[in-house]
Amino acid sequence: MIEDWFAQNKLSATDALLEQKLKTHYIDLASERLGGETLSCSDDFFAKMENLLKPGRGVFIAEKFTEHGKWMDGWESRRSYGRNNGRDSDWCIIRLGIRGVIRAFDIDTNYFRGNAPEKVSVEACVSEMQPDKDTVWHTVFEATDIEAHSQNLFEIANDTVWTHVRLRMFPDGGIARFRVYGEAYVNWDDFVDGELINLASISNGAKALLASDMFFSNKNNLIMPGRGVNMGDGWQTKRSRNPDPDWSIIKLAATGSVNKVIIDTCHFKGNFPDSFMLEGCISDNDDFTDDTVNRTWTTIIQNTKLHAHREHVFTKEIITEKNQPFTHVRLNIYPDGGISRMRVLGNRQG
């Protein structure tokens, strides 16, 4: 039997549910899109450390080689057998794009079949500068066996806010991607009194909880920093064939007012929504899959026309009181389409 080298492995039903939980309730603190950065490593002879934080799961190109050997889409060190240079492992230091509490790791060895490490561990530190030889590292995930050519998902229990992590692999080998799932920490003292805060920013701790449809792209793109780089970098639903709008529910970074809203249809030229409406509510429950939970949605902006490939700014259209608090907002789009980004600026309360 000839093995299909181009086939990606699939998660078990249990791990698929875990991955869904991680992507729904947490963010990838090390994401390159959020400013995550690989700083240094012990060795990346075959494949560069920067690949660890790239989007996707990594690819395999059979005919592609470099002067060092087989090209691999990940981080891969040379063979040390745990003896070379006095090291028992290879390591890579990563600065988190958002400092925060770590809840889980996805250590993906996709396409590393005969060159995956035997074990991995993760250490973390708190540092305002780039870690050096004097940095104190704390083990947050003990050395554990991992599977080749697999997503290896691990939950951890740790409530410390970290700024950097150090991924170790024993004794050497390759890892395609590394995700650090957790919750963003925001120092609200960094904001000045009266400053409008983007309460729908993933960098400030907002979360995209649920959407009616994510056929073309993910709801999390709505609250990412910066403008969308292309049409895939937004939230886009399939073409609707029913009268109800598509919607996305965002948990705000903190309870706060809504004083300014930005809806950006950047790159959506032939598939932007005809109009939108924004609603808000107060809720101590983030599970919006349960229809029995009693919530009252308040209209913040009534149904309003949108245009193609444009950043729309709304202030006068907001009909709620200036200081009315909300914990969640629901973006309704009529009847369907794509939104690149949504900003909800207001004052934090409490």
Side-chain angles (χ1 to χ4, degrees):
M1 178 179 178
I2 300 176
E3 187 173 14
D4 184 358
W5 286 85
F6 295 95
Q8 288 192 338
N9 70 308
K10 295 183 179 180
L11 289 169
S12 67
T14 300
D15 281 345
L17 287 174
L18 174 56
E19 184 185 43
Q20 182 181 24
K21 169 189 169 182
L22 299 181
K23 289 185 174 181
T24 299
H25 296 288
Y26 306 118
I27 62 173
D28 179 8
L29 300 172
S31 169
E32 188 177 55
R33 296 178 66 190
L34 298 178
E37 181 184 9
T38 51
L39 299 179
S40 60
C41 68
S42 58
D43 183 273
D44 58 356
F45 183 84
F46 286 114
K48 297 303 179 182
M49 62 182 179
E50 289 83 1
N51 294 330
L52 279 173
L53 307 185
K54 286 183 177 178
R57 292 200 56 210
V59 299
F60 183 80
I61 303 175
E63 301 83 8
K64 189 170 182 178
F65 287 81
T66 74
E67 62 180 5
H68 287 168
K70 181 70 187 75
W71 177 90
M72 293 297 289
D73 189 10
W75 166 48
E76 185 181 3
S77 66
R78 55 169 67 88
R79 300 189 189 210
S80 71
Y81 306 103
R83 296 189 297 270
N84 293 352
N85 304 316
R87 293 196 310 266
D88 65 349
S89 60
D90 279 308
W91 52 263
C92 180
I93 294 175
I94 296 157
R95 180 179 62 83
L96 300 179
I98 303 175
R99 65 176 61 199
V101 177
I102 298 171
R103 299 302 186 196
F105 301 108
D106 180 354
I107 302 169
D108 191 351
T109 56
N110 200 37
Y111 292 116
F112 287 89
R113 301 172 188 263
N115 47 357
E118 291 182 353
K119 297 176 182 288
V120 295
S121 70
V122 183
E123 301 157 299
C125 75
V126 178
S127 178
E128 298 302 324
M129 301 176 293
Q130 186 158 317
D132 57 25
K133 60 182 179 62
D134 297 320
T135 298
V136 177
W137 292 94
H138 304 268
T139 299
V140 294
F141 180 64
E142 299 284 351
T144 301
D145 292 341
I146 62 169
E147 298 292 329
H149 187 50
S150 300
Q151 278 181 267
N152 297 271
L153 302 173
F154 303 102
E155 290 187 282
I156 69 168
N158 190 292
D159 292 325
T160 302
V161 174
W162 304 105
T163 61
H164 299 74
V165 293
R166 181 164 63 184
L167 173 64
R168 286 189 180 273
M169 55 184 181
F170 300 83
D172 51 43
I175 295 171
R177 298 291 188 265
F178 181 49
R179 311 295 183 215
V180 181
Y181 287 106
E183 298 172 284
Y185 168 77
V186 181
N187 184 356
W188 296 111
D189 292 336
D190 290 340
F191 296 89
V192 300
D193 292 341
E195 177 183 359
L196 288 182
I197 301 169
N198 182 7
L199 298 173
S201 167
I202 200 169
S203 300
N204 290 337
K207 298 178 182 179
L209 297 179
L210 194 66
S212 59
D213 183 88
M214 293 187 290
F215 187 85
F216 289 109
S217 48
N218 197 284
K219 65 186 185 304
N220 290 310
N221 292 335
L222 267 179
I223 58 176
M224 286 289 182
R227 297 194 77 190
V229 297
N230 54 42
M231 202 173 69
D233 186 15
W235 168 53
Q236 183 184 178
T237 68
K238 61 177 173 289
R239 299 189 187 209
S240 176
R241 305 306 183 197
N242 63 67
D244 298 322
D246 279 316
W247 50 264
S248 182
I249 295 174
I250 307 296
K251 180 181 181 179
L252 299 178
T255 301
S257 60
V258 177
N259 303 101
K260 182 178 180 179
V261 174
I262 299 173
I263 302 294
D264 192 355
T265 57
C266 184
H267 301 295
F268 290 97
K269 300 176 181 179
N271 49 358
F272 62 97
D274 178 70
S275 61
F276 85 102
M277 181 173 71
L278 187 68
E279 301 171 294
C281 75
I282 291 284
S283 177
D284 58 3
N285 188 341
D286 291 341
D287 185 3
F288 285 79
T289 61
D290 186 356
D291 293 335
T292 64
V293 175
N294 185 23
R295 297 185 181 89
T296 300
W297 288 97
T298 300
T299 300
I300 299 173
I301 297 178
Q302 296 175 325
N303 199 311
T304 303
K305 183 74 174 175
L306 289 173
H307 302 277
H309 191 52
R310 184 183 303 182
E311 190 174 70
H312 308 72
V313 179
F314 302 100
T315 54
K316 298 188 299 294
E317 294 82 358
I318 296 171
I319 62 174
T320 50
E321 294 295 326
K322 184 177 180 180
N323 294 317
Q324 184 170 347
F326 297 100
T327 58
H328 300 74
V329 295
R330 181 168 64 188
L331 172 65
N332 301 299
I333 56 174
Y334 297 85
D336 51 40
I339 301 285
S340 178
R341 296 289 189 271
M342 177 177 71
R343 313 297 187 207
V344 177
L345 294 100
N347 296 120
R348 185 175 71 95
Q349 300 179 10

